[in-house]
């Protein structure tokens, strides 16, 4: 796993498949997404290397239920005692109560997804001991007040997190960066692509300066203008992601 400082309070954790983010306030940290199965201990080791302890992470906020984002949540919660949060529509899948609905693949996405799945760890994730359900408009106690934005389309319960005081937006897999050249693009492997584009348009109006995606390099300046162009829609074959979304 690569640990990359994006801002003094923000680190990107890049796994072989997918990525997560650590936000640091003065006396606590927040983990946004938790990587694949088996990532919990790796995240704990990264925190130690940064001079923090796993117990400093008060909450794990999941942008959606897919295994490359929620797979390590239960393991890390057991190591740290952190609260796990997800939108109430995706929370049952994170808890392991039932499987979540599969994406509605476009034809060009099927071989990309099949190849990516080959690189995921085998086994089933350890469900977190509890998952707190979130709703649109909730405000979480980090980053000066993190706004929960419901952005359906990728999954029914996908969320973004916006820190108005910092100008930082976490989009989950609603937006991605293409692996070939880093160009931002609408997320793929969705339940409802038109709904996803509408969600991107909503995110564009938040005025974010920095946008952190579920896959690929973040946009560090002028994020709202970038998102505004994506909300207008791109061709469905605009490029694959380097992992299941």
């Amino acid at each position: 796993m690569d640990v990359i400082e994006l801002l003094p309070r923000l680190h990107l954790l890049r796994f072989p498949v997918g990525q997560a983010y650590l936000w640091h306030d003065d006396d606590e940290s927040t983990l946004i997404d938790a990587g694949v199965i088996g990532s919990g201990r790796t995240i704990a080791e990264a925190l130690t290397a940064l001079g923090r302890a796993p117990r400093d992470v008060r909450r794990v906020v999941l942008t959606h239920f897919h295994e490359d984002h929620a797979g390590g949540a239960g393991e890390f919660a057991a190591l740290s005692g952190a609260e796990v949060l997800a939108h109430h529509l995706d929370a049952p899948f994170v808890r392991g109560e039932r499987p979540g609905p599969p994406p509605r693949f476009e034809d060009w996405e099927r071989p990309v997804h099949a190849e990516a799945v080959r690189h995921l760890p085998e086994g089933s994730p350890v469900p977190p001991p509890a998952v707190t359900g979130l709703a649109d408009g909730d405000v979480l106690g980090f980053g000066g007040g993190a706004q929960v934005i419901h952005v359906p389309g990728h999954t029914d319960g996908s969320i973004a997190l916006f820190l108005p005081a910092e100008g930082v937006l976490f989009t989950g897999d609603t937006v991605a960066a293409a692996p070939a050249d880093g160009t931002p693009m609408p997320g793929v492997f969705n339940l409802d692509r038109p709904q996803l584009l509408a969600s991107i348009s909503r995110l564009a109006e938040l005025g974010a300066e920095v946008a952190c995606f579920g896959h690929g390099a973040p946009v560090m300046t002028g994020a709202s203008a970038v998102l505004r162009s994506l909300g207008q829609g791109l061709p469905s074959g605009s490029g694959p992601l380097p992992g299941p979304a």
Side-chain angles (χ1 to χ4, degrees):
M1 181 185 70
D2 297 323
V3 181
I4 302 165
E5 181 178 299
L6 301 176
L7 297 169
R9 293 183 180 273
L10 177 61
H11 284 84
L12 165 64
L13 308 181
R14 181 169 289 155
F15 303 99
V17 177
Q19 55 199 34
Y21 295 90
L22 278 167
W23 179 270
H24 309 288
D25 291 305
D26 292 340
D27 57 351
E28 66 180 49
S29 297
T30 297
L31 179 65
I32 297 99
D33 287 331
V36 298
I37 296 168
S39 297
R41 189 163 297 281
T42 304
I43 294 169
E45 292 170 353
L47 280 156
T48 301
L50 292 171
R52 297 192 175 233
R55 65 178 179 274
D56 294 333
V57 177
R58 302 295 175 84
R59 62 193 67 80
V60 180
V61 188
L62 301 176
T63 60
H64 60 293
F65 74 86
H66 287 165
E67 60 190 301
D68 55 329
H69 292 258
E75 180 188 2
F76 183 76
L79 290 170
S80 64
E83 179 184 17
V84 178
L85 305 96
H87 191 273
H88 65 85
L89 292 177
D90 274 17
F93 313 133
V94 177
R95 296 188 193 105
E97 295 171 0
R98 59 184 186 272
R104 295 169 182 163
F105 294 110
E106 299 186 34
D107 288 344
W108 71 271
E109 294 176 336
R110 293 182 184 279
V112 178
H113 186 267
E115 173 62 22
V117 167
R118 293 198 314 107
H119 299 283
L120 289 173
E122 295 183 358
S124 299
V126 176
V131 179
T132 300
L134 298 173
D136 187 64
D138 287 347
V139 178
L140 305 180
F142 73 95
Q147 299 177 358
V148 176
I149 315 294
H150 185 208
V151 285
H154 186 64
T155 68
D156 289 335
S158 286
I159 61 169
L161 297 168
F162 180 48
L163 282 55
E166 305 287 344
V168 175
L169 174 67
F170 301 93
T171 71
D173 280 358
T174 301
V175 188
D181 58 7
T183 300
M185 57 179 280
V188 297
F189 313 152
N190 303 305
L191 284 178
D192 188 324
R193 180 179 170 86
Q195 194 175 46
L196 177 106
L197 294 176
S199 290
I200 294 173
S201 294
R202 184 183 180 194
L203 293 181
E205 299 308 312
L206 296 174
E209 181 69 11
V210 175
C212 298
F213 308 141
H215 294 263
V219 171
M220 298 303 294
T221 58
S224 275
V226 172
L227 296 177
R228 196 168 293 115
S229 68
L230 296 187
Q232 298 169 2
L234 292 175
S236 61
S238 55
L241 288 173

